Amino acid sequence: MLSEKPTVGGKQYHLMLGPGDVSRYVLLPGDPERVPRIAKTWDRSWHVASHREYVTYTGEYRGVRISATSTGIGGPSTAIAIEELLRVGADTFIRVGTTGVLRADVSIGDLVITQAAVRLDGASRAYIFPEYPASASYEVVLALIEAAESLGARYVVGITASTDSFYVGQGRPGYRDYMPPWSRDLVRILRDSNVINFEMEAATIFTLSNIYGTRAGAICSVIANRETGEFVPDAGVDTMIRVANEAVRILWEWDNAKARAGKRYYYPSIVRR
């Protein structure tokens, strides 16, 4: 029988991480192969652990300690990652992934910075009723915008829909063109409601982060457009990684400014103190 807080040799059961293994700031790609790709952009890095779909690297970027852990695809594995990262000291999470947009005015290679997510996943419902909002931390959203501006990246900010299903859950026909009635108009309804994009993890990350009083945000590179039919699998990924790294540095600066001022929340004039 596993305990209520399972560990193996002092390490978290799924991530195989212990206290001190990660920074408080953690980037969260879905794909395990994206973790070493992210780590190569830092000034120095080292492999910490690999177990199942969870790969973790820690390192330094412009003098700031930073980590990256893969979540796997979808809410269930992502919830495990958040739970166990919290237990070893992380408190600020930025999802870095790829996405498909629902609007023709957002181009392939652009970045989507999520301010809130429609909870079409199941994992977040295991934690709280569906009316509870999946909102990003305003500090993380602002840091991502600041980073994108400083690097000259093209981006939009808005609402994301997070699903547990890549096919029928995102309005795509399943095998043998199976499509439940509630999926047939999903893309149109979301587009009409000013939802920008589909992805599969942000709602879980935001919901858990809000419940536990920590910070989270998400930035995704646009590799598909459901309106135009375009699809370029790796578009914008390198730019997204650069923006996420820089956002961590900015958050670190703001956190230090808050500490010096004795303030709990960031506000623009605090950096001029």
Side-chain angles (χ1 to χ4, degrees):
M1 289 281 294
L2 288 173
S3 68
E4 291 182 1
K5 297 180 180 179
T7 58
V8 177
K11 302 285 188 179
Q12 295 299 308
Y13 177 62
H14 298 92
L15 271 58
M16 288 294 141
L17 299 175
D21 283 341
V22 297
S23 166
R24 66 177 295 195
Y25 309 99
V26 183
L27 305 184
L28 299 174
D31 184 356
E33 294 184 2
R34 193 168 291 138
V35 178
R37 179 174 175 178
I38 292 169
K40 286 179 181 177
T41 67
W42 301 338
D43 300 319
R44 68 187 190 104
S45 64
W46 53 92
H47 174 254
V48 179
S50 295
H51 187 231
R52 302 187 183 186
E53 63 263 58
Y54 304 111
V55 174
T56 299
Y57 277 66
T58 292
E60 289 184 4
Y61 170 78
R62 298 185 64 182
V64 180
R65 194 164 189 256
I66 187 171
S67 296
T69 296
S70 54
T71 63
I73 297 175
S77 62
T78 298
I80 290 171
I82 296 296
E83 287 279 3
E84 297 190 1
L85 285 165
L86 288 168
R87 286 163 166 77
V88 297
D91 67 10
T92 301
F93 307 101
I94 302 179
R95 162 155 164 70
V96 286
T98 54
T99 191
V101 293
L102 309 180
R103 295 171 13 189
D105 65 320
V106 183
S107 300
I108 297 294
D110 286 358
L111 305 178
V112 176
I113 297 171
T114 300
Q115 63 187 33
V118 183
R119 291 172 54 197
L120 301 180
D121 67 312
S124 70
R125 297 187 185 199
Y127 283 80
I128 189 69
F129 43 75
E131 292 81 6
Y132 187 90
S135 58
S137 161
Y138 80 95
E139 292 185 352
V140 180
V141 172
L142 282 176
L144 287 166
I145 292 171
E146 181 77 22
E149 287 286 344
S150 70
L151 294 171
R154 300 191 314 267
Y155 69 94
V156 293
V157 180
I159 298 172
T160 289
S162 299
T163 73
D164 276 341
S165 164
F166 181 79
Y167 290 97
V168 297
Q170 295 187 10
R172 294 184 180 91
Y175 179 58
R176 293 178 176 169
D177 291 327
Y178 173 75
M179 179 73 80
W182 54 85
S183 294
R184 291 171 187 164
D185 289 329
L186 180 61
V187 171
R188 179 188 60 78
I189 292 168
L190 292 173
R191 186 187 296 124
D192 290 349
S193 302
N194 202 29
V195 173
I196 296 176
N197 62 312
F198 275 126
E199 58 81 70
M200 300 181 70
E201 291 81 31
T204 301
I205 295 168
F206 294 174
T207 301
L208 270 63
S209 184
N210 282 322
I211 288 171
Y212 293 136
T214 56
R215 299 184 297 190
I219 184 167
C220 291
S221 60
V222 176
I223 65 169
N225 190 303
R226 299 289 293 274
E227 184 81 354
T228 66
E230 297 171 276
F231 175 55
V232 182
D234 204 45
V237 170
D238 288 334
T239 301
M240 172 191 65
I241 292 169
R242 291 170 55 226
V243 170
N245 288 338
E246 189 62 15
V248 166
R249 186 196 64 78
I250 291 166
L251 285 166
W252 175 82
E253 266 190 6
W254 292 351
D255 289 341
N256 286 334
K258 289 188 297 183
R260 289 193 300 270
K263 299 293 185 179
R264 182 175 180 181
Y265 302 106
Y266 171 79
Y267 51 92
S269 63
I270 199 171
V271 296
R272 296 196 293 270
R273 284 174 173 261

